[in-house]
Amino acid sequence: MSTLDSLSRRAALAAGQPISELMRQALAHPELISLAAGFVDQATLPVEATRAAFDEVFHDPRWAQAALQYGTPAGHLPLREAVLAALVENDGAAIAGQHLSVEQVLVTAGSNELLHLLVDTLCDPGDIVLVPEPTYFVFLGMLRNLGVRAIGVTADEQGLVPEALDEELARLAGTGELARVKALYVVSYFDNPSSVTLSEERRGPVVETIKRHSRHGTIRIIEDAAYRELRYGGPNPPSMRSFDAEGDTVVLTETFSKSFSPGIRVGWGFLPRDLVEPLSDQKGNIDFGSPNLSQHVMAAVMDKGLLRPHVEKLRDNYRKKLAATLAACEEHLRPIPGVHWSPPRGGLYVWLTLPDEIATGPGGTLFEHAVEEGVLYVPGEYSYAGQPHEARTNTIRMSFGVQSVERIRRGVEGLTRAIRRTLEQ
Amino acid sequence: MSTLDSLSRRAALAAGQPISELMRQALAHPELISLAAGFVDQATLPVEATRAAFDEVFHDPRWAQAALQYGTPAGHLPLREAVLAALVENDGAAIAGQHLSVEQVLVTAGSNELLHLLVDTLCDPGDIVLVPEPTYFVFLGMLRNLGVRAIGVTADEQGLVPEALDEELARLAGTGELARVKALYVVSYFDNPSSVTLSEERRGPVVETIKRHSRHGTIRIIEDAAYRELRYGGPNPPSMRSFDAEGDTVVLTETFSKSFSPGIRVGWGFLPRDLVEPLSDQKGNIDFGSPNLSQHVMAAVMDKGLLRPHVEKLRDNYRKKLAATLAACEEHLRPIPGVHWSPPRGGLYVWLTLPDEIATGPGGTLFEHAVEEGVLYVPGEYSYAGQPHEARTNTIRMSFGVQSVERIRRGVEGLTRAIRRTLEQ
């Protein structure tokens, strides 16, 4: 009997996630230029701001002791107030007049913990979560781990298509499966992997479509706004949450992992009122409270006004990298017929579509050639639910956050050589 | 349809945990002397040591940036090496010669995360975990949340009784349920709530008994050593892990929450080899890596030799509080016939047994009288599995970690008045 046979069903489902495979590849090939890792640029991480915030907390021994003590499952109140104020400011007129209480803010150890907590709380094994095609592959892995079925909905360059969502929900009603649909997941700004932002015009219709098909408010929208602050140009549409006037449908999740530091590990959510207690109860069982020291430091970062200037620095840095990535794509990839991408205006990714005959998957020729040419990428097929439509096998996610401008250029050159070699075979 | 009906089975099972109820009571009665909270003494929290470790990390901008970046699911390597070295030193001759690899060390956000991860990985709903009577009630709540059955095994003043464990396993084999037994959970030093340390003589027999009944190594021992460092006198027996020469049975879990700071939120486990990959995979899905900044700071605390002196200060502080608690018990409680306790030599708790006719539960007369007399305690019944034996309803967990010596004294006086009033009714 192998160990896996003796473990839980969840443990069996946790094995073999793409993220583990990608990490193993990166470790096995440290010499390669990784356009795969979705990490933030280490050189931009806020050493001085963190130090200043830490000093603020530790200047007062009583405050420091409070930060070193257990916190509550809901999180540090001043931090919850600060993130709520930031949401209200960010959404402006679109959310003004809605009654938003700090009681509805839940702090977690990164937004990953919150996403897991949400799915675990909303879904039993066999339930359904709708996702755009493509979507965040780590989230798809989490759904698989929890035994939850992901079903894809068509998205285009303006994001999720409301009519396609409507049709899919009608189809599921027809097959008798509508009651198993518990959520729609959307990365609403600069999606991972496609970098698409759901257009402002579609936000209302998407929320309305879910409400219309939801019996007794049982279908929620999980709005993952992790990349909202990584905007290098273009508009900042109000959150999907702001279109949920009743406040009973959209769960907004955010994180400081992209806008400040992933190592400090602070995320947060704004919840419908009826989910506050169930999520807090579930969270208490799992983590007995998120790291309190990190929360106090983040509260001091916000209180001292250190977040906004840091975000501006980040934007300047990533804007240059994005420009370098797009310039390299124009120069090297544009001449190849059948290669397409949409220039993003934020986020950390460029989503490439290759000629249909190229399979980008981990066992395929292109991946092998890319490694030989010194480049790692994320195969796009990881980002598809695989039902009701098959995964597209000719796509690639390229990350531009981690590498220098020079290495991005060399990476795109290497990838281009790999594509040409694959086409020539 | 209420919200709870629309949520997952797990969410329904997460509601109404004793810990939530206790927190609500504490918030509702802030004026009371709480002998309920199992927190550490806020005044002892290591402000200077944390600051020195933080400065060490942030003195080097590259180190600081590494700490602010994502970590790996397994955790920061220097920290894993340091905790492994501490284990080897602590267990001395008992563990010398066993091959222990740093690959087997997993860092988590507190040991609560690790306990949850372990049960989630080992058990499906309906599976069984054996626990001593009494045991850590938060762990019992976690089992309930995961749909796992807790079954109690008799313990006495030397801890779990190996013969009782043997009998229970034989009984479960007889009823055909042995295959559902996935683990035995033991707080092996200064148990929460009983403060009993499993005696050295029993450690080998307990490990041997589990191995004998385990088919193909499918029953594990979860050794929770959270309180090992809070030793104010007496011996420091080697870990149960050290009695597992094959290294395939005992999962050792530890934490810095008691010995250093709960707010920094770093725990760790030493795993059997075959559990390393499944636990890492599962962990990656849930948290995408524990807080990295905290791990770097804790590694610097250990590297700079700041942990041992802090533990010595803690011991001096809690030794005095324990002495005050026991002195107050002798003075006030000893004269009441039928009240018993065993003086502990470590930990944070004194476990009281009252006359059989007194029910200590939250709806009962004693609890009400105690609140009137200005005292909160943890009803002992929360700490029993309830099967195969019924919970004992005449026990109390008193914590002495949080309150001052003066308030401990007043708390015990108040509790004594409440007991006398209850007996006189």
Side-chain angles (χ1 to χ4, degrees), chain A residues 3 8-10 14 40 43 51 58 65 68-69 112 120-121 124 145 258 261-263 265 274 282 286-287 289 292-293, chain B residues 3 8-10 14 40 43 51 58 65 68-70 112 120-121 124 145 261-263 265 274 282 286-287 289 293:
Chain A
T3 297
S8 69
R9 180 158 177 266
R10 282 200 180 190
V40 295
R51 190 207 305 271
F58 275 67
Q65 281 170 344
L68 292 169
Q69 185 59 281
N112 203 83
D120 204 11
T121 303
D124 280 315
N145 179 210
K258 307 298 176 189
S261 152
R265 218 89 200 92
D274 65 334
Q282 181 76 347
I286 292 175
D287 74 358
N292 203 22
L293 177 59
Chain B
T3 297
S8 68
R9 179 158 176 266
R10 281 200 182 190
V40 296
R51 189 207 306 270
F58 275 66
Q65 281 170 344
L68 291 169
Q69 185 58 281
Y70 285 104
N112 203 84
D120 205 11
T121 303
D124 281 315
N145 178 209
S261 152
R265 217 87 200 97
D274 65 333
Q282 181 76 348
I286 294 176
D287 74 359
L293 177 59

Short mmCIF file of all heavy atoms in Angstrom, two decimals, chain A residues 3 8-10 14 40 43 51 58 65 68-69 112 120-121 124 145 258 261-263 265 274 282 286-287 289 292-293, chain B residues 3 8-10 14 40 43 51 58 65 68-70 112 120-121 124 145 261-263 265 274 282 286-287 289 293:
data_model
loop_
_atom_site.label_atom_id
_atom_site.label_comp_id
_atom_site.label_asym_id
_atom_site.label_seq_id
_atom_site.Cartn_x
_atom_site.Cartn_y
_atom_site.Cartn_z
N THR A 3 1.73 5.35 0.30
CA THR A 3 1.26 6.38 1.22
C THR A 3 -0.01 7.05 0.70
O THR A 3 -0.96 7.26 1.45
CB THR A 3 2.35 7.44 1.40
OG1 THR A 3 3.49 6.81 1.99
CG2 THR A 3 1.88 8.55 2.30
N SER A 8 -6.08 11.15 2.66
CA SER A 8 -7.44 11.60 2.39
C SER A 8 -7.65 11.83 0.90
O SER A 8 -6.70 11.95 0.13
CB SER A 8 -7.72 12.90 3.14
OG SER A 8 -6.97 13.96 2.60
N ARG A 9 -8.91 11.90 0.51
CA ARG A 9 -9.26 12.17 -0.88
C ARG A 9 -8.68 13.52 -1.30
O ARG A 9 -8.15 13.68 -2.39
CB ARG A 9 -10.79 12.18 -0.98
CG ARG A 9 -11.31 12.45 -2.37
CD ARG A 9 -12.73 11.95 -2.57
NE ARG A 9 -13.17 12.32 -3.91
CZ ARG A 9 -13.86 13.44 -4.19
NH1 ARG A 9 -14.21 14.27 -3.22
NH2 ARG A 9 -14.21 13.72 -5.43
N ARG A 10 -8.76 14.49 -0.39
CA ARG A 10 -8.19 15.80 -0.70
C ARG A 10 -6.70 15.72 -0.99
O ARG A 10 -6.19 16.38 -1.89
CB ARG A 10 -8.38 16.77 0.47
CG ARG A 10 -9.75 17.32 0.56
CD ARG A 10 -9.75 18.58 1.39
NE ARG A 10 -11.11 19.08 1.47
CZ ARG A 10 -11.45 20.26 1.95
NH1 ARG A 10 -10.54 21.05 2.43
NH2 ARG A 10 -12.70 20.64 1.97
N ALA A 14 -4.55 16.79 -4.25
CA ALA A 14 -3.60 17.91 -4.14
C ALA A 14 -2.33 17.65 -4.93
O ALA A 14 -1.59 18.57 -5.24
CB ALA A 14 -3.24 18.15 -2.67
N VAL A 40 6.84 39.14 -8.05
CA VAL A 40 7.11 40.55 -8.25
C VAL A 40 8.62 40.75 -8.30
O VAL A 40 9.40 39.88 -7.91
CB VAL A 40 6.48 41.40 -7.12
CG1 VAL A 40 4.96 41.29 -7.16
CG2 VAL A 40 7.01 40.98 -5.75
N ALA A 43 13.89 43.58 -6.70
CA ALA A 43 14.59 44.85 -6.50
C ALA A 43 13.64 45.97 -6.08
O ALA A 43 14.07 46.98 -5.51
CB ALA A 43 15.32 45.25 -7.78
N ARG A 51 10.85 49.08 6.97
CA ARG A 51 11.63 49.43 8.15
C ARG A 51 10.98 50.60 8.91
O ARG A 51 10.86 50.57 10.14
CB ARG A 51 13.05 49.82 7.74
CG ARG A 51 14.00 49.96 8.93
CD ARG A 51 15.13 50.93 8.63
NE ARG A 51 15.87 50.58 7.44
CZ ARG A 51 16.94 49.78 7.41
NH1 ARG A 51 17.39 49.27 8.53
NH2 ARG A 51 17.57 49.52 6.29
N PHE A 58 7.47 49.48 16.80
CA PHE A 58 8.36 49.08 17.89
C PHE A 58 8.89 50.26 18.70
O PHE A 58 9.56 50.07 19.72
CB PHE A 58 9.49 48.20 17.35
CG PHE A 58 9.07 46.75 17.28
CD1 PHE A 58 8.07 46.36 16.38
CD2 PHE A 58 9.59 45.80 18.14
CE1 PHE A 58 7.63 45.04 16.34
CE2 PHE A 58 9.16 44.48 18.11
CZ PHE A 58 8.18 44.10 17.20
N GLN A 65 4.22 44.97 21.80
CA GLN A 65 3.73 43.75 22.47
C GLN A 65 2.37 43.32 21.93
O GLN A 65 2.12 42.13 21.77
CB GLN A 65 3.68 43.97 23.98
CG GLN A 65 5.07 43.83 24.59
CD GLN A 65 5.15 44.25 26.03
OE1 GLN A 65 4.26 44.93 26.54
NE2 GLN A 65 6.23 43.85 26.69
N LEU A 68 2.94 41.46 18.86
CA LEU A 68 3.56 40.13 19.07
C LEU A 68 2.60 39.14 19.73
O LEU A 68 2.92 37.97 19.89
CB LEU A 68 4.84 40.28 19.92
CG LEU A 68 6.00 41.01 19.24
CD1 LEU A 68 7.09 41.34 20.26
CD2 LEU A 68 6.58 40.18 18.10
N GLN A 69 1.43 39.62 20.12
CA GLN A 69 0.41 38.76 20.76
C GLN A 69 -0.50 38.16 19.69
O GLN A 69 -0.45 38.57 18.52
CB GLN A 69 -0.40 39.64 21.73
CG GLN A 69 -1.43 38.93 22.59
CD GLN A 69 -0.89 37.83 23.48
OE1 GLN A 69 -0.64 36.72 23.01
NE2 GLN A 69 -0.69 38.13 24.77
N ASN A 112 -4.55 34.23 -1.17
CA ASN A 112 -4.67 32.80 -1.42
C ASN A 112 -5.44 32.11 -0.28
O ASN A 112 -6.29 31.27 -0.51
CB ASN A 112 -3.28 32.18 -1.56
CG ASN A 112 -3.31 30.88 -2.35
OD1 ASN A 112 -3.29 30.91 -3.56
ND2 ASN A 112 -3.40 29.75 -1.65
N ASP A 120 -13.83 26.62 0.24
CA ASP A 120 -14.08 25.60 1.26
C ASP A 120 -15.41 25.87 1.97
O ASP A 120 -16.10 24.94 2.40
CB ASP A 120 -12.93 25.65 2.27
CG ASP A 120 -12.74 24.34 3.00
OD1 ASP A 120 -13.35 23.33 2.60
OD2 ASP A 120 -11.99 24.33 3.98
N THR A 121 -15.76 27.13 2.11
CA THR A 121 -16.98 27.50 2.82
C THR A 121 -18.21 27.45 1.92
O THR A 121 -19.31 27.12 2.36
CB THR A 121 -16.84 28.92 3.41
OG1 THR A 121 -15.69 28.95 4.26
CG2 THR A 121 -18.06 29.32 4.22
N ASP A 124 -19.21 22.17 -1.57
CA ASP A 124 -18.93 20.77 -1.26
C ASP A 124 -18.31 20.14 -2.50
O ASP A 124 -18.45 20.66 -3.62
CB ASP A 124 -20.24 20.04 -0.91
CG ASP A 124 -20.68 20.31 0.51
OD1 ASP A 124 -19.82 20.24 1.41
OD2 ASP A 124 -21.88 20.59 0.72
N ASN A 145 -8.26 20.46 -5.93
CA ASN A 145 -7.90 19.96 -4.60
C ASN A 145 -9.13 19.79 -3.70
O ASN A 145 -9.22 18.87 -2.89
CB ASN A 145 -6.91 20.96 -3.98
CG ASN A 145 -6.45 20.60 -2.57
OD1 ASN A 145 -6.15 21.47 -1.80
ND2 ASN A 145 -6.42 19.31 -2.23
N LYS A 258 1.06 42.02 -4.28
CA LYS A 258 1.53 42.64 -5.53
C LYS A 258 1.86 44.11 -5.31
O LYS A 258 2.82 44.61 -5.87
CB LYS A 258 0.45 42.52 -6.61
CG LYS A 258 -0.07 41.12 -6.84
CD LYS A 258 0.98 40.14 -7.32
CE LYS A 258 0.42 38.73 -7.43
NZ LYS A 258 1.44 37.72 -7.70
N SER A 261 4.31 43.78 -0.70
CA SER A 261 5.27 42.68 -0.48
C SER A 261 4.54 41.36 -0.28
O SER A 261 3.67 41.27 0.58
CB SER A 261 6.11 42.98 0.76
OG SER A 261 6.56 41.79 1.37
N PRO A 262 4.94 40.33 -1.04
CA PRO A 262 4.34 39.01 -0.79
C PRO A 262 4.86 38.37 0.49
O PRO A 262 4.16 37.56 1.10
CB PRO A 262 4.75 38.19 -2.01
CG PRO A 262 5.86 38.92 -2.67
CD PRO A 262 5.82 40.35 -2.21
N GLY A 263 6.07 38.74 0.92
CA GLY A 263 6.64 38.10 2.12
C GLY A 263 5.98 38.56 3.40
O GLY A 263 6.06 37.88 4.42
N ARG A 265 2.78 39.02 3.55
CA ARG A 265 1.66 38.08 3.52
C ARG A 265 0.39 38.61 4.17
O ARG A 265 -0.11 38.02 5.15
CB ARG A 265 2.10 36.79 4.23
CG ARG A 265 1.59 35.54 3.59
CD ARG A 265 2.47 34.98 2.52
NE ARG A 265 1.75 34.08 1.64
CZ ARG A 265 1.17 34.50 0.51
NH1 ARG A 265 1.24 35.74 0.14
NH2 ARG A 265 0.54 33.64 -0.25
N ASP A 274 -23.86 38.13 5.29
CA ASP A 274 -24.21 36.78 5.77
C ASP A 274 -23.03 35.80 5.69
O ASP A 274 -23.14 34.69 6.20
CB ASP A 274 -25.42 36.22 4.99
CG ASP A 274 -25.12 36.01 3.52
OD1 ASP A 274 -24.23 36.69 2.99
OD2 ASP A 274 -25.76 35.14 2.91
N GLN A 282 -14.82 29.39 10.14
CA GLN A 282 -13.99 28.46 9.41
C GLN A 282 -12.51 28.86 9.53
O GLN A 282 -11.64 28.03 9.76
CB GLN A 282 -14.43 28.44 7.93
CG GLN A 282 -13.67 27.49 7.04
CD GLN A 282 -14.10 26.05 7.24
OE1 GLN A 282 -14.79 25.70 8.19
NE2 GLN A 282 -13.64 25.19 6.36
N ILE A 286 -8.93 27.00 11.05
CA ILE A 286 -7.77 26.69 10.23
C ILE A 286 -6.52 27.39 10.73
O ILE A 286 -5.47 26.78 10.86
CB ILE A 286 -8.05 27.07 8.75
CG1 ILE A 286 -9.14 26.13 8.20
CG2 ILE A 286 -6.78 26.97 7.91
CD1 ILE A 286 -9.59 26.45 6.79
N ASP A 287 -6.62 28.68 11.01
CA ASP A 287 -5.38 29.41 11.30
C ASP A 287 -5.31 30.04 12.67
O ASP A 287 -4.26 30.54 13.06
CB ASP A 287 -5.11 30.46 10.22
CG ASP A 287 -6.03 31.67 10.33
OD1 ASP A 287 -6.91 31.68 11.21
OD2 ASP A 287 -5.86 32.61 9.53
N GLY A 289 -6.23 32.78 13.59
CA GLY A 289 -5.77 34.17 13.43
C GLY A 289 -4.56 34.27 12.51
O GLY A 289 -3.63 33.49 12.61
N ASN A 292 -0.20 38.48 13.19
CA ASN A 292 -0.58 39.77 13.75
C ASN A 292 0.50 40.82 13.53
O ASN A 292 0.21 41.97 13.21
CB ASN A 292 -0.86 39.56 15.25
CG ASN A 292 -1.75 40.62 15.82
OD1 ASN A 292 -2.50 41.27 15.10
ND2 ASN A 292 -1.68 40.80 17.12
N LEU A 293 1.75 40.42 13.67
CA LEU A 293 2.86 41.36 13.48
C LEU A 293 2.80 41.98 12.08
O LEU A 293 2.89 43.20 11.92
CB LEU A 293 4.19 40.63 13.69
CG LEU A 293 5.47 41.44 13.46
CD1 LEU A 293 5.54 42.66 14.37
CD2 LEU A 293 6.71 40.57 13.67
N THR B 3 -28.51 31.27 5.01
CA THR B 3 -27.19 31.18 4.42
C THR B 3 -26.54 29.84 4.71
O THR B 3 -25.96 29.22 3.84
CB THR B 3 -26.30 32.30 4.99
OG1 THR B 3 -26.86 33.54 4.60
CG2 THR B 3 -24.89 32.20 4.44
N SER B 8 -21.15 24.96 2.48
CA SER B 8 -20.62 23.60 2.44
C SER B 8 -20.86 22.88 3.77
O SER B 8 -21.14 23.50 4.80
CB SER B 8 -19.12 23.63 2.16
OG SER B 8 -18.41 24.18 3.26
N ARG B 9 -20.73 21.57 3.71
CA ARG B 9 -20.88 20.76 4.92
C ARG B 9 -19.85 21.19 5.96
O ARG B 9 -20.13 21.31 7.15
CB ARG B 9 -20.69 19.29 4.53
CG ARG B 9 -20.80 18.33 5.67
CD ARG B 9 -21.13 16.90 5.22
NE ARG B 9 -21.14 16.03 6.38
CZ ARG B 9 -20.09 15.31 6.79
NH1 ARG B 9 -18.97 15.33 6.11
NH2 ARG B 9 -20.18 14.56 7.88
N ARG B 10 -18.62 21.46 5.48
CA ARG B 10 -17.59 21.91 6.41
C ARG B 10 -17.97 23.20 7.12
O ARG B 10 -17.72 23.38 8.30
CB ARG B 10 -16.28 22.17 5.66
CG ARG B 10 -15.53 20.93 5.35
CD ARG B 10 -14.08 21.24 5.06
NE ARG B 10 -13.39 20.02 4.73
CZ ARG B 10 -12.08 19.90 4.61
NH1 ARG B 10 -11.32 20.95 4.79
NH2 ARG B 10 -11.52 18.75 4.31
N ALA B 14 -18.36 24.06 11.05
CA ALA B 14 -17.42 25.02 11.66
C ALA B 14 -18.11 25.91 12.68
O ALA B 14 -17.46 26.52 13.53
CB ALA B 14 -16.77 25.88 10.59
N VAL B 40 -0.42 33.87 26.06
CA VAL B 40 0.80 34.10 26.81
C VAL B 40 0.74 35.49 27.43
O VAL B 40 -0.05 36.33 27.03
CB VAL B 40 2.05 33.94 25.91
CG1 VAL B 40 2.15 32.50 25.40
CG2 VAL B 40 2.01 34.91 24.73
N ALA B 43 3.12 41.05 28.74
CA ALA B 43 4.27 41.81 29.24
C ALA B 43 5.60 41.11 28.96
O ALA B 43 6.66 41.73 28.97
CB ALA B 43 4.11 42.05 30.74
N ARG B 51 13.16 43.24 17.71
CA ARG B 51 13.74 44.41 17.06
C ARG B 51 15.18 44.10 16.59
O ARG B 51 15.57 44.43 15.47
CB ARG B 51 13.76 45.60 18.03
CG ARG B 51 14.15 46.91 17.35
CD ARG B 51 14.77 47.89 18.32
NE ARG B 51 13.95 48.14 19.49
CZ ARG B 51 13.04 49.11 19.57
NH1 ARG B 51 12.84 49.92 18.56
NH2 ARG B 51 12.35 49.28 20.68
N PHE B 58 17.24 43.59 8.16
CA PHE B 58 17.09 44.80 7.35
C PHE B 58 18.38 45.62 7.23
O PHE B 58 18.43 46.60 6.49
CB PHE B 58 15.92 45.65 7.87
CG PHE B 58 14.61 45.19 7.28
CD1 PHE B 58 14.11 43.92 7.60
CD2 PHE B 58 13.91 45.96 6.37
CE1 PHE B 58 12.93 43.46 7.03
CE2 PHE B 58 12.73 45.51 5.80
CZ PHE B 58 12.24 44.26 6.13
N GLN B 65 15.11 42.23 1.11
CA GLN B 65 14.27 41.98 -0.07
C GLN B 65 13.91 40.50 -0.19
O GLN B 65 12.78 40.17 -0.55
CB GLN B 65 14.98 42.48 -1.33
CG GLN B 65 14.84 43.99 -1.46
CD GLN B 65 15.70 44.59 -2.55
OE1 GLN B 65 16.63 43.95 -3.03
NE2 GLN B 65 15.40 45.82 -2.91
N LEU B 68 11.08 39.90 2.02
CA LEU B 68 9.83 40.52 1.57
C LEU B 68 9.26 39.83 0.33
O LEU B 68 8.16 40.17 -0.12
CB LEU B 68 10.05 42.01 1.29
CG LEU B 68 10.33 42.88 2.52
CD1 LEU B 68 10.80 44.28 2.11
CD2 LEU B 68 9.09 42.98 3.42
N GLN B 69 10.00 38.89 -0.23
CA GLN B 69 9.57 38.14 -1.42
C GLN B 69 8.78 36.89 -0.98
O GLN B 69 8.76 36.54 0.20
CB GLN B 69 10.81 37.74 -2.22
CG GLN B 69 10.59 37.06 -3.56
CD GLN B 69 9.77 37.87 -4.55
OE1 GLN B 69 8.54 37.92 -4.45
NE2 GLN B 69 10.43 38.52 -5.51
N TYR B 70 8.14 36.22 -1.94
CA TYR B 70 7.53 34.93 -1.65
C TYR B 70 8.58 33.96 -1.12
O TYR B 70 9.74 34.01 -1.54
CB TYR B 70 6.96 34.30 -2.93
CG TYR B 70 5.68 34.90 -3.43
CD1 TYR B 70 5.68 35.76 -4.52
CD2 TYR B 70 4.47 34.59 -2.82
CE1 TYR B 70 4.49 36.31 -5.00
CE2 TYR B 70 3.28 35.14 -3.30
CZ TYR B 70 3.30 36.00 -4.38
OH TYR B 70 2.13 36.54 -4.84
N ASN B 112 -1.05 25.60 14.55
CA ASN B 112 -2.46 25.36 14.23
C ASN B 112 -2.62 25.03 12.74
O ASN B 112 -3.34 24.12 12.37
CB ASN B 112 -3.29 26.59 14.59
CG ASN B 112 -4.75 26.26 14.80
OD1 ASN B 112 -5.13 25.86 15.89
ND2 ASN B 112 -5.58 26.40 13.77
N ASP B 120 -6.33 17.23 7.61
CA ASP B 120 -6.91 17.34 6.27
C ASP B 120 -6.23 16.36 5.30
O ASP B 120 -6.86 15.85 4.37
CB ASP B 120 -6.72 18.78 5.78
CG ASP B 120 -7.75 19.18 4.73
OD1 ASP B 120 -8.72 18.44 4.55
OD2 ASP B 120 -7.56 20.23 4.12
N THR B 121 -4.97 16.11 5.52
CA THR B 121 -4.21 15.22 4.62
C THR B 121 -4.37 13.75 5.00
O THR B 121 -4.37 12.88 4.13
CB THR B 121 -2.71 15.61 4.67
OG1 THR B 121 -2.58 16.98 4.30
CG2 THR B 121 -1.89 14.76 3.72
N ASP B 124 -10.28 11.45 5.85
CA ASP B 124 -11.54 11.78 5.18
C ASP B 124 -12.63 11.91 6.25
O ASP B 124 -12.48 11.41 7.36
CB ASP B 124 -11.91 10.67 4.20
CG ASP B 124 -11.14 10.76 2.89
OD1 ASP B 124 -11.04 11.88 2.35
OD2 ASP B 124 -10.63 9.73 2.42
N ASN B 145 -14.92 20.07 12.62
CA ASN B 145 -15.01 20.88 11.40
C ASN B 145 -14.69 20.05 10.16
O ASN B 145 -15.28 20.23 9.09
CB ASN B 145 -14.04 22.05 11.54
CG ASN B 145 -13.99 22.96 10.34
OD1 ASN B 145 -12.98 23.56 10.08
ND2 ASN B 145 -15.07 23.08 9.58
N SER B 261 6.69 34.25 20.42
CA SER B 261 5.60 35.19 20.15
C SER B 261 4.53 34.57 19.27
O SER B 261 4.85 34.04 18.20
CB SER B 261 6.16 36.44 19.44
OG SER B 261 5.16 37.04 18.63
N PRO B 262 3.28 34.63 19.69
CA PRO B 262 2.21 34.13 18.82
C PRO B 262 1.94 35.06 17.64
O PRO B 262 1.48 34.61 16.59
CB PRO B 262 0.98 34.07 19.74
CG PRO B 262 1.29 34.90 20.92
CD PRO B 262 2.77 35.06 21.02
N GLY B 263 2.25 36.35 17.77
CA GLY B 263 1.96 37.31 16.71
C GLY B 263 2.90 37.16 15.52
O GLY B 263 2.58 37.58 14.41
N ARG B 265 3.88 34.24 14.52
CA ARG B 265 3.14 33.15 13.84
C ARG B 265 4.03 32.23 13.04
O ARG B 265 3.88 32.10 11.81
CB ARG B 265 2.09 33.80 12.91
CG ARG B 265 0.79 33.06 12.84
CD ARG B 265 -0.19 33.44 13.90
NE ARG B 265 -1.22 32.42 14.10
CZ ARG B 265 -1.13 31.52 15.05
NH1 ARG B 265 -0.13 31.49 15.87
NH2 ARG B 265 -2.09 30.64 15.19
N ASP B 274 7.54 9.96 4.01
CA ASP B 274 6.49 9.76 3.00
C ASP B 274 5.39 10.81 3.09
O ASP B 274 4.52 10.87 2.22
CB ASP B 274 5.90 8.34 3.07
CG ASP B 274 5.18 8.09 4.38
OD1 ASP B 274 5.52 8.73 5.39
OD2 ASP B 274 4.26 7.25 4.40
N GLN B 282 -0.39 19.91 -0.41
CA GLN B 282 -1.63 20.41 0.18
C GLN B 282 -1.43 21.84 0.70
O GLN B 282 -2.26 22.71 0.51
CB GLN B 282 -2.05 19.46 1.32
CG GLN B 282 -3.33 19.82 2.03
CD GLN B 282 -4.56 19.48 1.19
OE1 GLN B 282 -4.48 19.16 0.01
NE2 GLN B 282 -5.71 19.59 1.82
N ILE B 286 -3.21 25.68 -0.13
CA ILE B 286 -3.94 26.46 0.87
C ILE B 286 -3.30 27.82 1.08
O ILE B 286 -3.98 28.84 1.11
CB ILE B 286 -4.03 25.68 2.20
CG1 ILE B 286 -4.90 24.44 1.99
CG2 ILE B 286 -4.58 26.56 3.31
CD1 ILE B 286 -4.99 23.53 3.18
N ASP B 287 -2.00 27.87 1.25
CA ASP B 287 -1.40 29.15 1.66
C ASP B 287 -0.37 29.71 0.70
O ASP B 287 0.09 30.83 0.89
CB ASP B 287 -0.82 29.05 3.07
CG ASP B 287 0.48 28.24 3.11
OD1 ASP B 287 0.93 27.75 2.05
OD2 ASP B 287 1.04 28.12 4.21
N GLY B 289 2.64 29.25 0.58
CA GLY B 289 3.81 29.65 1.38
C GLY B 289 3.41 30.45 2.61
O GLY B 289 2.59 31.35 2.53
N LEU B 293 8.60 36.90 5.82
CA LEU B 293 9.26 37.90 6.68
C LEU B 293 9.39 37.36 8.10
O LEU B 293 10.46 37.42 8.71
CB LEU B 293 8.45 39.20 6.66
CG LEU B 293 8.94 40.33 7.57
CD1 LEU B 293 10.36 40.75 7.22
CD2 LEU B 293 8.00 41.54 7.48
#
